[in-house]
Structures are given as structure tokens and as C-alpha cells.
Amino acid sequence: MARNKFDVDERLETPFDFKHFKRAMVYVKRYKWKMILALSLSAISAIVALIGPLLTKEAVDVAIPDGNIPYIVFLSIGFLLSIIISVVLGNIRQRIMTKAGQLMIYDIRKDLFAHLQELPFQYYDDRPQGKILVRVVNYVNNVSDMLTNGIINFILEIFNLIFITIFMFSVDARLALVIFAGVPVFIVVMIILKNKQRRAWQGVSNKNSNQTAYLAESINCMRVTQSFARENENLGIFRRLSTAYRKAWMKAVTVNNFVSFSVDNIRAVVDSALYFVGLLVIGYPAVSLGSILAMSNYSSRFWQPIINIASLYNNFVNAVAYLERIFETMDEPVDVKDAEDAYEMPDIKGEVEYRDVTFAYEEGKNILENVSFTVKPGESIALVGPTGAGKTTIVNLLSRFYDLTGGAVYIDGNDISKVTLHSLREKMGIMMQDSFIFSGTIEDNIRYGKLDATEEEIRAAAKTVCADEFIMGLENGYKTEMYEGGSQLSGGQRQLVSFARTLISDPKILILDEATSSIDAKTEKELQKGLQELLKGRTSFIIAHRLSTIKNCDKIMFISNKGITEAGTHDELMAKKGDYYKLCMAQK
């Protein structure tokens, strides 16, 4: 999918193929025995329910004319039992299908989420979060009922039609043919509406996705919205998106309702024809009153499965629009993945080498071109330069968050494209510019970097980054519960917790991307003491604008014009009075 935003409809890259539905059946087959049991119960329930009209015919034609009260009571009891048995079996079947449906939801959502975790950063750069979220939650929910009850009901309604047809022809074949006369008209209606339904529900899918995307964006930036008093403008945008969704929904429902409207009218005409033919054309005694009443009952039962099938078809068309989106996401290529012959990254010392590295986020627009440099084990490297020059890109390539456009990156002589992603990234400690705090305790957030960390290790890491003091000042210390995003902490405190999370993994290569940007000068001064001790023996890449953070690094590289324009120590670059010198002077 191309770059997208909340007010742009998504476009499916490929038209729907029945293979999508066959693919969905993989999830159904996992619970086939539950489905078979439910189908069996449904079939028995349907057959038992069809006995009722025969009992009615027997009562009207035989028991009532003969005044046989015991026989009438017997037939009434049989009729009541048929209803009770049918309802009980239907209830049991519904419980089985509800459980199977929830299991299918779990399986589909698990597979979808697992695939999303493998997709590269580029996938998330190209689309709003809300449009991803709606596929995992809403769309999966919408297809689950079709894959369970929808399939069972479709098969059941086919069986119902077969059983009802057999019963009708056993009562009166001539009247049965009158009922069948409306079927060709129904088929023509469905053929005409098929494509309109699919397009209508794709429109609903698009507008729902747009609305969810904007809602997610608005919630994430609510502080900014209120700070700039943008509530009215944003409400106007949301109304526009909601109106578009409502119109798309009404259009789709209108098409759906036309199917039911058509069937209802066809059934009414057929029922009228049934009485006309039975009473006036054939007439009594060639056809009995009981037979006409039974056939009228069967006519209603015959068209009810057809109405149900039409409704199931509507739901199928609706679900197809969602299946297309779900499978489109599952089919999104994992561009950054392990090579077929990938091996585990061995223990490393931390030597890093970039050889003629070129990279572009978009084809033909290189961010870096032919970048080459070597970092010795244990060296600290500062990356500085103007915004957008490629500093973060350089460290992202080292972690293989993106694959190179050209060239190669080596760690201790190992081409990082040849080792497994897991073994590569577990050698690194990465703290990005945006520090995210998960819901849970502060202790849980720090342990995120090392799941088996002890409380002593957690506190030691926090002390190293000067986070222990403020954490112990909280109501429950390290057991203090955090909201999602850590909104009860200041920006600097969130960064310190994130720093501790990175450091506790004891990485051989440390990447700090604007790690001290939200930390006040006093805290940063204390933090530098711990960092100098921590950086010993570790290869580190530090991206920062503050002079105090970078001047003690072993080497400083100025990134500009798609490459490295200057490299050296702080004193060497200041003496050259080039780009770095100008940057430092601008901070004074």
C-alpha cells in the first residue's frame, strides 16, 4: 500500500479472489468436529421442526372431521414436543458455535498480530495507526460470525430446502411446482446486486478505517489539541468523517434491504398463486384443505431459508470486504527478515564497519550515499548535524530496522544481513528519542529489557541513570503502577526509566538517540557520571545536540549532504572551524 492518511481511502491492491475464502477455511478446519456436531444438531432440529405441518395436516383432514379427541390430543402433544426438541437442540448448537467462533477470532488475531510484529518500520511509516488497529480488532470480529454460524447456517439452510422440497412433493407435487416458480426470479435479482453489494461494503470498510484512524490520532495528541484550542476544528473533521461513514453504511444497507424486499414480494406473489391454483384451478376434492394449509406452511418455510440464504449472502459480501483487508495485511511482505542461511550472531567485541552504505526511504531519494567508517570496540561515537541529515537513519541501519539500498554493515566482521535479527538486536541496547512507558509498574517497565532481571539488578540500573531517587519518592516506589504512556511522570523521568530499561540488558553496542533531550541540566550532569562508567568496554553511538553530551566522545561525526562531512575529536573539529565548530558556536 502507498503512503496513506486518515482522510484517504485505502485501495485494495488485488481484486477479491475466492481463494481468500478458501484461505479463511483453514481456521474453520481447526474446529471441524465442533462444526460437524453443531451441523448435526441443527439438521436434527430442522427435521423435527418439519414434522409440525404434517401433524397439522393430519389434524385438519382426519382427527378433527372424525371428532377423535384422543388423536387430536396426541397430535397436539407431538406438535409441542417437536417445538421443544427443536429449540433445545438449537440452543446447544448455538453454545458450541459461540465457543468455536471465539477460538477462530483468537487464531486469526494471533496470526495477524504475529505478522505485524515482523513488519519493518517502513510499513508503520506509511499508514496511520488507526487503520492498522481497525484490522486487528473490528475486521476480525466482523468475519468471525460468518466463518462459524454463517457456514453452518448456509449448509443448514440448503438441507432445509432439500428436506422441505421432499416434504412438499410428498404432499402435492403440483403445488410444489407453483412455489418453485419464484426461484428463477430470485436468482436474477441476486446476480444483478452481487457487484453492487461488494463495492458498497468496501466503501463502508474504507470510511470505517478513516474514522478510526483519525480517532486514534486525536486521542494520542489530545494535549496538543487542547493546548491550541483546536476542539471545534477537530470536531468538524470528525463529523465529516462520521458523515461519510454513515452515508456509506446507509448505501450498503439499502442494497442489502433490497434483497429482502425482493424476496418478500416474490414470496407474497407465490403464496397468492398457491391459493389461486389450489382452490380455483385444481380445486376440491383433487386437493384437500389440509393439503393447501400444509403447503402454505411449507411455502413459508421454503422461502424462509431462501431469505436466510440471501441474508447470509449479504453478510458474506460484507465479511469478504473485511477478509480482503485482513489477508492484505497478512500478505504484506516482510522486507526485513532473516536470510535463508542466516546464522546466530556470535559473542562480539563491538567493532562496527560501514562499507559504502547507501539508503533511501523512497526510491530515487537517497538519505545516505556511499557512507564508510569504522568504529573500534569500546569507542563512543557522536553523530551530529542538521535535522533530517540521516543521524537516526545510520543507527537504524545498524539495528536492521531498515535494509540497506546499497553497501554493507559489519559487526566484528559479520555482515548483519547474514545473521538472525533476534541475535543481532539482543546484542544492542537502544534508546530512541521517543521514550514509551507501558502500562504496568515501573519495575515491569525496566524489566522489559531483561525479563529475568532481579529487583537488585533493576534498582542498580535505575541508580546508574539517576532514576532511583525519584522512583523511591513515588507512592509505591518501584511497584508504582503506570498509565499507558507514563502520563504521571515528567518527560525527563520517562526518559530515565527508558534509559534504565535499555541499560539493564547489558548490551555490547549501545545506541542513544537524543537520550538526554528531556533531562534537565542538573540531572544530566549526574547522569554523565554514570554513563562514563557504563560506556567503558561498550561500543556506543550517541545522537545529541547538547555539547555537554558529546564532547567527551572518542569521535564525533558531522552528518550532512548524504554523508560524513567531518570526523574527529571535539578539539580536532573545533580547531578546523568547520561545520561542527559552527554548530558549537551557535549553542553559545
Side-chain angles (χ1 to χ4, degrees):
M1 190 176 92
R3 291 185 183 276
N4 193 269
K5 54 182 183 177
F6 69 80
D7 57 350
V8 176
D9 288 347
E10 296 177 285
R11 181 175 62 86
L12 283 172
E13 300 299 332
T14 56
F16 177 75
D17 192 316
F18 194 72
K19 291 179 180 177
H20 288 82
F21 186 70
K22 289 178 64 178
R23 185 174 174 183
M25 293 301 293
V26 171
Y27 296 97
V28 176
K29 289 178 181 178
R30 296 176 186 175
Y31 307 100
K32 62 181 180 182
W33 294 115
K34 290 183 182 294
M35 303 282 281
I36 291 172
L37 176 58
L39 181 59
S40 300
L41 293 175
S42 298
I44 295 172
S45 174
I47 293 172
V48 170
L50 289 174
I51 296 174
L54 290 180
L55 298 178
T56 301
K57 177 180 182 300
E58 185 69 10
V60 171
D61 288 345
V62 179
I64 294 176
D66 292 346
N68 191 338
I69 302 300
Y71 193 29
I72 294 174
V73 172
F74 175 77
L75 293 173
S76 299
I77 294 173
F79 190 88
L80 179 62
L81 286 176
S82 70
I83 295 174
I84 293 174
I85 294 172
S86 179
V87 170
V88 170
L89 292 180
N91 184 266
I92 296 173
R93 169 257 190 185
Q94 188 60 41
R95 289 174 179 269
I96 294 172
M97 293 314 303
T98 299
K99 184 175 181 180
Q102 289 302 309
L103 290 171
M104 288 181 200
I105 287 178
Y106 170 79
D107 289 347
I108 296 173
R109 192 167 286 150
K110 178 190 67 175
D111 291 348
L112 187 56
F113 182 69
H115 187 70
L116 285 172
Q117 291 191 106
E118 295 179 352
L119 293 176
F121 283 8
Q122 189 70 50
Y123 177 81
Y124 299 95
D125 294 341
D126 287 348
R127 53 195 44 77
Q129 294 180 8
K131 292 197 176 187
I132 301 172
L133 183 63
V134 74
R135 298 186 182 209
V136 180
V137 180
N138 300 41
Y139 292 0
V140 173
N141 285 341
N142 288 332
V143 303
S144 65
D145 191 58
M146 187 270 289
L147 294 179
T148 51
N149 286 315
I151 293 173
I152 290 293
N153 287 336
F154 180 80
I155 297 174
L156 177 62
E157 299 302 353
I158 295 297
F159 281 149
N160 275 343
L161 284 175
I162 294 173
F163 294 145
I164 292 170
T165 300
I166 293 172
F167 275 77
M168 285 194 304
F169 275 92
S170 68
V171 173
D172 194 299
R174 295 163 298 180
L175 296 181
L177 291 174
V178 172
I179 296 172
F180 263 86
V183 174
V185 180
F186 168 75
I187 293 174
V188 171
V189 171
M190 295 304 297
I191 291 174
I192 293 173
L193 294 179
K194 182 182 70 170
N195 291 331
K196 291 184 178 180
Q197 285 180 294
R198 178 173 182 255
R199 286 195 297 269
W201 284 110
Q202 281 183 348
V204 172
S205 173
N206 283 334
K207 303 309 178 185
N208 182 30
S209 180
N210 293 348
Q211 183 177 250
T212 304
Y214 185 70
L215 183 61
E217 179 182 292
S218 298
I219 291 173
N220 287 336
C221 67
M222 191 58 68
R223 292 177 183 271
V224 178
T225 296
Q226 295 183 3
S227 297
F228 287 89
R230 277 269 307 188
E231 292 89 346
N232 290 336
E233 289 82 356
N234 290 3
L235 181 59
I237 295 173
F238 188 75
R239 282 175 176 168
R240 174 167 57 82
L241 295 172
S242 296
T243 299
Y245 173 72
R246 177 176 57 82
K247 289 181 178 179
W249 174 266
M250 292 302 296
K251 179 180 178 181
V253 170
T254 299
V255 176
N256 275 9
N257 288 343
F258 190 78
V259 176
S260 299
F261 172 79
S262 300
V263 174
D264 286 340
N265 281 278
I266 293 171
R267 182 175 64 175
V269 172
V270 168
D271 284 347
S272 299
L274 177 68
Y275 283 101
F276 177 80
V277 172
L279 294 174
L280 299 179
V281 177
I282 302 176
Y284 185 83
V287 58
S288 68
L289 178 61
S291 295
I292 293 176
L293 290 175
M295 291 300 291
S296 176
N297 193 309
Y298 281 132
S299 177
S300 297
R301 290 173 182 264
F302 175 79
W303 283 103
Q304 190 58 51
I306 291 179
I307 293 174
N308 292 341
I309 289 173
S311 176
L312 288 171
Y313 178 76
N314 289 337
N315 294 335
F316 172 77
V317 172
N318 185 0
V320 160
Y322 297 127
L323 274 177
E324 289 171 323
R325 304 296 186 187
I326 292 170
F327 288 135
E328 182 193 44
T329 303
M330 287 188 179
D331 292 337
E332 190 71 31
V334 181
D335 295 326
V336 180
K337 58 184 178 181
D338 293 339
E340 291 185 4
D341 56 347
Y343 59 91
E344 295 288 316
M345 173 77 81
D347 290 335
I348 61 172
K349 296 179 180 179
E351 182 183 72
V352 176
E353 181 183 3
Y354 281 59
R355 294 184 191 172
D356 296 320
V357 169
T358 297
F359 177 75
Y361 291 103
E362 297 181 33
E363 188 175 351
K365 297 181 180 180
N366 290 342
I367 301 297
L368 301 172
E369 287 183 354
N370 303 318
V371 174
S372 297
F373 64 86
T374 300
V375 181
K376 296 178 182 178
E379 278 191 330
S380 57
I381 305 298
L383 302 176
V384 300
T387 301
K391 303 183 294 296
T392 298
T393 300
I394 287 177
V395 295
N396 281 342
L397 296 177
L398 180 61
S399 308
R400 270 198 78 195
F401 291 138
Y402 302 90
D403 272 338
L404 306 177
T405 304
V409 177
Y410 296 86
I411 296 178
D412 285 9
N414 297 284
D415 186 339
I416 64 171
S417 67
K418 304 297 183 183
V419 301
T420 63
L421 287 170
H422 184 268
S423 66
L424 169 66
R425 292 172 183 168
E426 71 178 359
K427 299 292 191 298
M428 299 183 184
I430 305 171
M431 182 175 174
M432 298 181 180
Q433 188 171 353
D434 299 323
S435 52
F436 189 85
I437 301 299
F438 298 93
S439 56
T441 65
I442 288 184
E443 183 179 77
D444 293 334
N445 270 275
I446 297 176
R447 187 179 279 118
Y448 197 89
K450 184 183 179 183
L451 297 180
D452 60 348
T454 64
E455 292 185 5
E456 292 74 18
E457 290 175 318
I458 291 171
R459 189 162 187 183
K463 285 182 177 179
T464 300
V465 300
C466 305
D468 180 70
E469 183 177 350
F470 91 78
I471 292 175
M472 292 304 295
L474 298 174
E475 182 178 0
N476 296 312
Y478 285 82
K479 303 293 185 182
T480 302
E481 289 285 339
M482 293 288 101
Y483 306 131
E484 181 182 333
S487 58
Q488 63 265 62
L489 301 180
S490 68
Q493 289 172 334
R494 288 197 296 270
Q495 280 196 308
L496 291 178
V497 171
S498 181
F499 218 155
R501 179 170 61 206
T502 300
L503 302 184
I504 200 171
S505 62
D506 192 24
K508 295 294 184 182
I509 297 176
L510 190 63
I511 297 173
L512 309 177
D513 188 350
E514 294 290 355
T516 60
S517 61
S518 298
I519 298 175
D520 59 78
K522 179 178 180 297
T523 303
E524 185 189 12
K525 187 175 181 180
E526 296 176 356
L527 178 61
Q528 289 295 335
K529 299 176 184 177
L531 279 179
Q532 292 306 314
E533 197 63 34
L534 177 74
L535 295 179
K536 289 181 179 178
R538 290 184 173 86
T539 304
S540 57
F541 291 82
I542 302 172
I543 300 174
H545 288 95
R546 289 183 181 180
L547 180 61
S548 58
T549 307
I550 62 177
K551 67 179 182 179
N552 294 324
C553 290
D554 296 316
K555 184 184 292 184
I556 300 170
M557 296 191 299
F558 193 94
I559 312 299
S560 182
N561 297 324
K562 303 180 182 180
I564 302 169
T565 58
E566 292 181 349
T569 65
H570 171 73
D571 293 336
E572 290 171 348
L573 295 181
M574 290 298 289
K576 289 179 64 175
K577 295 189 176 182
D579 293 331
Y580 179 75
Y581 173 83
K582 295 176 183 178
L583 177 67
C584 293
M585 290 299 101
Q587 292 188 15
K588 292 187 177 180

